[in-house]
Amino acid sequence: MQSIFHFAFNVRDLEAARRFYGGVLGCREGRSTATWVDFDFFGHQISLHLGEPFATARTGHVGDKLVPMPHFGLILQLDDWQAMAKRLTDAGTDFVLEPQGRFEGQPGEQWTMFFLDPFGNPIEVKGFRSLATVYDAQ
């Protein structure tokens, strides 16, 4: 079975959303109306609707860090993750969790970064040397 993930959430301003998701993240814009816009979020569909974003809090325990919950994101090959980290750093992104590695030398070794879109929606981008190890047990 082949599938594409779809996630719809609220933003307060579609033009600011276009600048961030289209400009900063480089997502291709899809269909839109006066109240929502779709983006190709690295092979998956996100639909940004005008409204109040969901409430979040730093309650997710990952190692010794607290991360925003709920959140969404993507997983990239390490070289693509490094390019994304540079793109976001060059854009002046204010990271919730700076780009860094975690679980070094363990199953599930990965790199991560957390940041917020302009509306406070938390996004995590993970990097793996091989996508085949994403589900390896800790």
Side-chain angles (χ1 to χ4, degrees):
M1 180 184 308
Q2 185 176 2
S3 65
I4 297 173
F5 186 78
H6 165 79
F7 180 51
F9 57 97
N10 288 333
V11 298
R12 291 185 198 96
D13 180 321
L14 295 181
E15 289 311 311
R18 285 181 166 103
R19 287 190 297 275
F20 181 75
Y21 287 93
V24 174
L25 294 183
C27 299
R28 182 177 60 86
E29 185 173 330
R31 297 172 299 140
S32 66
T33 69
T35 62
W36 57 266
V37 59
D38 285 345
F39 284 97
D40 176 347
F41 188 72
F42 306 90
H44 303 280
Q45 183 192 52
I46 56 174
S47 296
L48 288 57
H49 291 254
L50 286 176
E52 190 59 31
F54 51 82
T56 64
R58 291 187 191 188
T59 59
H61 293 268
V62 180
D64 63 346
K65 310 285 186 203
L66 283 174
V67 299
M69 295 297 293
H71 62 264
F72 74 101
L74 67 144
I75 300 172
L76 300 171
Q77 289 281 148
L78 184 55
D79 56 342
D80 292 329
W81 180 90
Q82 291 166 330
M84 177 66 73
K86 181 176 180 349
R87 180 182 187 122
L88 290 164
T89 300
D90 290 350
T93 300
D94 184 20
F95 290 96
V96 171
L97 189 62
E98 296 282 334
Q100 60 189 268
R102 62 183 174 190
F103 312 125
E104 184 178 350
Q106 301 175 47
E109 179 180 35
Q110 61 188 260
W111 289 258
T112 188
M113 60 184 131
F114 274 87
F115 51 94
L116 305 177
D117 76 4
F119 319 99
N121 294 309
I123 301 170
E124 178 183 19
V125 179
K126 295 181 182 185
F128 282 79
R129 290 186 200 279
S130 168
L131 296 182
T133 66
V134 169
Y135 298 105
D136 287 357
Q138 295 283 324

